[in-house]
């Protein structure tokens, strides 16, 4: 039997590595596409996955975007602001009808990629898996979560979930959801209530629930998000968004949000694809979102070299 085609992984941070290790463990060949010749030179070609069950080592030979092998299947796990440029760098290598799977926070890039790559089935995913890099090539899978993947364009709806095999059958809890936009909006609404505030106040997620002033700011953000979602006819949760956001802040009380980690690490943040996305959508509707706008500006001020989404 022919070996299953390779999955190329663009964006080799914690989440890209987590999926790469699990694909490799399932016997699928995986090729991380690294962002520079310097990175390829220092990358040892393997990753160690650390879980409660111990450590496992995976050989994952890296390559550059300029390599010339065709890409049959592509998982893009970059930060939201890097997705489109990273994809452009490998576009000429995509085999006809190669599925593209986008896995990042926020909204904006997904729709643009789905339109720009209309000949390819384009899917989006959202995950609550918790993983971080622990120096060098070690990856710690710290918190088990769940993931959803679903179609973004007509070609993906026609193709269905078959193209996502084996992403859906790994020992990570992953499901196919044809209404993926709803899931992406739910994650966006939660991230918009938590991430920016923790980045500005330099605090763990749980502080937002405990500190009255932060809690009030979170309530305002949630109320504005709900107003916009209602205007767009976009369902969110069955219970108020603020209750959901509080629940997540409490359940992840000791965690530092991905945005705070970016600010502390001096990296660009995903604010433009989260609160920025909501502000742009609101503007199209003639709606003002003052709390989101203020937060957007405050986070941008903390990282002046922010990227647009
Ligand atoms: O998704 C998250 C993030 O940090 O990006 C939350 C849910 C806020 C957990 O920290």
């Amino acid at each position: 039997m022919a070996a299953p085609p390779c999955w190329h992984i663009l964006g080799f941070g914690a989440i890209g590595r987590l999926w790469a290790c699990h694909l490799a463990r399932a016997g699928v060949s995986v090729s991380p596409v690294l962002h520079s010749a310097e990175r390829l030179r220092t990358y040892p070609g393997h990753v160690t996955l650390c879980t409660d069950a111990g450590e496992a080592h995976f050989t994952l030979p890296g390559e550059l975007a300029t390599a010339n092998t065709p890409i049959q299947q592509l998982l893009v796990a970059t930060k939201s602001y890097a997705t489109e440029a990273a994809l452009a760098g490998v576009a000429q290598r995509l085999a006809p009808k190669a599925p593209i799977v986008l896995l990042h926070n926020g909204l904006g890039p997904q729709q643009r990629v789905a339109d720009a790559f209309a000949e390819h089935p384009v899917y989006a995913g959202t995950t609550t898996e918790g993983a971080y890099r622990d120096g060098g090539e070690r990856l710690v899978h710290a918190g088990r979560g769940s993931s959803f993947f679903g179609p973004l364009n007509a070609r993906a709806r026609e193709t269905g979930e078959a193209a996502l095999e084996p992403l859906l059958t790994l020992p990570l809890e992953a499901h196919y959801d044809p209404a993926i936009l709803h899931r992406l909006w739910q994650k966006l609404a939660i991230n918009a209530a938590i991430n920016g505030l923790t980045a500005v106040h330099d605090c763990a997620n749980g502080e937002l629930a405990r500190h009255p002033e932060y809690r009030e700011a979170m309530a305002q953000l949630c109320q504005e998000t709900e107003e916009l979602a209602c205007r767009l006819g976009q369902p969110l949760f069955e219970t108020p968004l603020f209750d959901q956001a509080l629940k997540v802040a409490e359940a992840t009380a000791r965690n530092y949000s991905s945005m705070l980690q970016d600010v502390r690490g001096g990296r660009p943040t995903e604010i433009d694809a989260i609160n920025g996305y909501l502000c742009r959508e609101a503007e199209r509707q003639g709606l003002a979102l003052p709390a989101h706008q203020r937060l957007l500006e405050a986070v941008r001020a903390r990282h002046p070299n922010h990227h647009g989404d």
Side-chain angles (χ1 to χ4, degrees):
M1 220 168 72
C6 174
W7 275 86
H8 281 80
I9 313 268
L10 204 48
F12 205 44
I15 291 298
R17 276 159 201 255
L18 183 66
W19 289 92
C21 290
H22 278 274
L23 284 166
R25 177 176 271 160
V28 176
S29 104
V30 175
S31 205
V33 181
L34 303 175
H35 59 77
S36 67
E38 174 56 15
R39 179 68 190 109
L40 183 60
R41 195 181 61 73
T42 55
Y43 171 62
H46 55 81
V47 170
T48 302
L49 175 66
C50 312
T51 64
D52 291 347
E55 294 191 354
H57 307 280
F58 298 96
T59 301
L60 305 167
E63 61 177 52
L64 289 177
T66 49
N68 52 19
T69 42
I71 294 178
Q72 307 287 353
Q73 300 165 117
L74 181 64
L75 174 64
V76 188
T78 56
K79 291 281 187 173
S80 52
Y81 50 78
T83 297
E84 287 158 285
L87 251 176
V90 298
Q92 77 293 349
R93 291 178 56 195
L94 287 169
K97 302 202 170 76
I100 301 171
V101 183
L102 308 178
L103 189 53
H104 63 74
N105 275 337
L107 272 173
Q110 295 97 329
Q111 291 90 337
R112 293 193 294 270
V113 169
D115 292 345
F117 290 83
E119 292 307 309
H120 292 267
V122 180
Y123 300 85
T126 174
T127 186
T128 57
E129 294 290 353
Y132 63 89
R133 290 173 62 186
D134 182 21
E137 308 304 333
R138 286 167 61 84
L139 176 75
V140 181
H141 189 187
R144 299 208 55 116
S146 57
S147 310
F148 290 89
F149 294 92
L152 284 179
N153 62 3
R155 193 45 69 85
R157 280 186 287 277
E158 270 160 43
T159 311
E161 62 184 283
L164 298 183
E165 232 280 302
L167 299 182
L168 300 172
T169 51
L170 300 172
L172 291 171
E173 196 199 313
H175 309 275
Y176 188 71
D177 187 348
I180 193 66
L181 197 60
H182 181 214
R183 302 260 177 204
L184 297 178
W185 257 92
Q186 288 181 321
K187 182 86 189 316
L188 172 78
I190 297 289
N191 287 144
I194 295 179
N195 294 24
L197 284 178
T198 60
V200 165
H201 298 296
D202 194 38
C203 66
N205 294 351
E207 287 302 304
L208 299 183
R210 275 193 290 273
H211 194 296
E213 189 194 321
Y214 302 168
R215 206 179 155 101
E216 175 52 30
M218 190 158 64
Q220 274 174 22
L221 290 166
C222 290
Q223 186 246 313
E224 289 183 6
T225 304
E226 283 180 323
E227 204 180 327
L228 173 64
C230 179
R231 184 74 74 89
L232 294 171
Q234 176 61 56
L236 286 175
F237 297 95
E238 278 169 14
T239 55
L241 173 57
F242 181 51
D243 294 352
Q244 292 287 337
L246 273 180
K247 224 190 264 175
V248 173
E250 277 157 1
T252 59
R254 284 162 45 181
N255 293 5
Y256 295 103
S257 77
S258 53
M259 195 174 294
L260 176 54
Q261 292 180 47
D262 287 337
V263 166
R264 286 183 173 178
R267 296 182 293 270
T269 72
E270 297 190 290
I271 195 77
D272 282 294
I274 300 178
N275 305 78
Y277 176 81
L278 295 176
C279 290
R280 286 190 297 281
E281 286 298 302
E283 204 179 317
R284 277 198 205 111
Q285 298 295 321
L287 196 68
L289 302 186
H292 284 286
Q293 191 64 45
R294 274 196 306 276
L295 188 60
L296 180 63
E297 282 156 22
V299 173
R300 282 176 175 171
R302 301 209 76 181
H303 198 292
N305 295 331
H306 76 90
H307 291 54
D309 75 338

